[in-house]
Amino acid sequence: MERLDPKLVLGAYAVGVFPMADHRQAETVYWVEPKRRAILPLNGFHLSRSLRKTIAADRFEVTADRDFRQLIRLCAEAEPDRPETWISEPIETVFLDLHAQGHAHSIECWQDGALVGGLYGLALGRAFFGESMVSRARDASKVALAWLVARLKVGGFTLLDCQFQTDHLASLGAIEISRTTYLGLLASAVGGVVSAGAGAGAGAGALSFPSEASGDFSALDRGAGAATDTDSGPPSGKRIAQLLTVTS
């Protein structure tokens, strides 16, 4: 079974390419560069009244990177409307490696101690590449995405890549752009990359990001973006809802 090199995968994302597989048991992957790309502008998240109430009421306990392994496994599970998944074992393995290296992150939604939804993706420079969302309870994936957007805004990210447009993502504010437009946004977001021959078709060189060129995925946990000193500490749903209504 093919084992993906984390450096190769990072290099691919840096130039707009990502891996997928035909099914869970697939031993190889193929590399994708869509002609049309879905992104979610960080100041364009559609926060409906009902979703705002759900977030502010803290219906779910929302965490970041508490259990990346369980979250990616949940995303890879077959569902009645999706009997096959593109998250093969090689893709799962490389993302576990990337998580251990600090590049891949998850947002988890919990109810009564059980994982009921969330998402995971890859952070590179000031870009975050959303990979998969899952929901086993009403609105869990919407809440996870809302928390992600708030986290990225506070952390100084500039690009949230959603890969392919869906009705679900469109309802939350995602838009579809051309490959050329996307590559311009990507170049700006990962402009701190130092890469020798990065890409899916060649050996990716070393990737380094000066601190000023990288987003900070953990800024929200340290109280960054709080309105007052008393707002510091673990974020609440009310604070997330507030962050999502503030535009720059």
Side-chain angles (χ1 to χ4, degrees), residues 71-232:
L71 192 282
I72 194 172
R73 292 272 174 88
L74 189 65
C75 287
E77 284 183 1
E79 298 183 73
D81 61 340
R82 192 196 63 185
E84 288 293 351
T85 175
W86 58 268
I87 305 172
S88 63
E89 290 187 16
I91 290 175
E92 177 182 334
T93 297
V94 77
F95 267 90
L96 289 171
D97 291 341
L98 289 167
H99 174 65
Q101 295 172 12
H103 294 293
H105 301 282
S106 58
I107 303 290
E108 305 96 359
C109 291
W110 309 82
Q111 259 186 346
D112 300 323
L115 183 63
V116 295
L119 58 83
Y120 78 95
L122 180 72
L124 198 59
R126 292 182 179 175
F128 189 89
F129 306 88
E131 289 297 304
S132 184
M133 303 196 314
V134 62
S135 187
R136 295 290 186 267
R138 182 178 178 180
D139 291 335
S141 62
K142 291 182 180 180
V143 169
L145 184 59
W147 277 71
L148 174 67
V149 170
R151 179 174 290 275
L152 298 182
K153 290 178 68 173
V154 170
F157 287 80
T158 60
L159 175 64
L160 173 51
D161 175 14
C162 301
Q163 297 182 346
F164 300 108
Q165 182 70 299
T166 66
D167 291 341
H168 179 61
L169 288 171
S171 72
L172 295 169
I175 61 173
E176 198 173 46
I177 60 176
S178 69
R179 177 190 294 168
T180 300
T181 301
Y182 171 78
L183 289 176
L185 295 173
L186 177 64
S188 178
V190 300
V193 174
V194 177
S195 175
L207 298 174
S208 64
F209 292 86
S211 59
E212 65 272 12
S214 297
D216 185 350
F217 193 79
S218 300
L220 185 67
D221 302 317
R222 299 193 303 274
T228 68
D229 291 341
T230 59
D231 292 331
S232 61

Side-chain angles (χ1 to χ4, degrees), residues 12-29:
Y13 277 89
V15 296
V17 182
F18 55 88
M20 295 187 73
D22 287 324
H23 51 80
R24 178 67 173 164
Q25 287 73 41
E27 297 187 357
T28 60
V29 304

Side-chain angles (χ1 to χ4, degrees), residues 51-59 147 236-241:
L51 182 57
R52 180 185 176 90
K53 288 181 178 179
T54 297
I55 293 170
D58 287 316
R59 181 186 300 175
W147 277 71
S236 66
K238 289 183 179 179
R239 183 174 161 214
I240 297 302

